């Protein structure tokens, strides 16, 4: 099982490193020329930390059931 606290700390440290890396460049060159490069880098970080794990069939059923229990029926006029 993944240690959530460890994962969260790693995410925060990685995001901090991203911010520190681009801070100087943005101050020197401006945001516009670096915007796409920064976005690609942050997207890669986001995908790494939010990668979907393979769920068991029971977990999918449970989540689906809970979602349906918490929804309201549509209103018809």
């Amino acid at each position: 099982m993944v240690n959530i606290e460890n994962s969260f700390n790693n995410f925060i440290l990685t995001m901090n490193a991203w911010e520190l890396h681009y801070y100087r460049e943005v101050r020197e060159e401006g945001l516009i020329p670096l915007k796409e490069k920064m976005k690609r880098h942050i997207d890669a970080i986001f995908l790494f930390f939010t990668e979907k794990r393979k769920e068991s069939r029971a977990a999918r059923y449970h989540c689906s059931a809970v979602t349906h229990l918490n929804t309201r029926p549509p209103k018809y006029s």
Side-chain angles (χ1 to χ4, degrees):
M1 187 168 155
V2 175
N3 183 341
I4 294 172
E5 187 173 333
N6 243 0
S7 294
F8 182 70
N9 287 337
N10 289 337
F11 174 74
I12 295 297
L13 291 172
T14 304
M15 290 303 297
N16 181 256
W18 176 88
E19 184 177 17
L20 293 174
H21 174 79
Y22 285 108
Y23 176 77
R24 185 180 313 149
E25 288 185 46
V26 169
R27 299 264 307 177
E28 293 171 358
E29 299 176 35
L31 179 62
I32 302 300
L34 295 170
K35 192 173 182 178
E36 285 302 314
K37 180 181 173 185
M38 292 172 66
K39 184 175 180 338
R40 283 192 308 270
H41 192 180
I42 204 164
D43 285 347
I45 293 169
F46 182 75
L47 284 174
F48 178 80
F49 283 99
T50 59
E51 180 182 52
K52 291 191 176 198
R53 306 284 188 241
K54 191 173 184 179
E55 296 177 1
S56 69
R57 191 175 198 179
R60 282 195 308 269
Y61 173 77
H62 174 73
C63 291
S64 176
V66 169
T67 301
H68 290 299
L69 290 175
N70 293 328
T71 60
R72 296 179 185 196
K75 293 182 179 180
Y76 297 103
S77 44

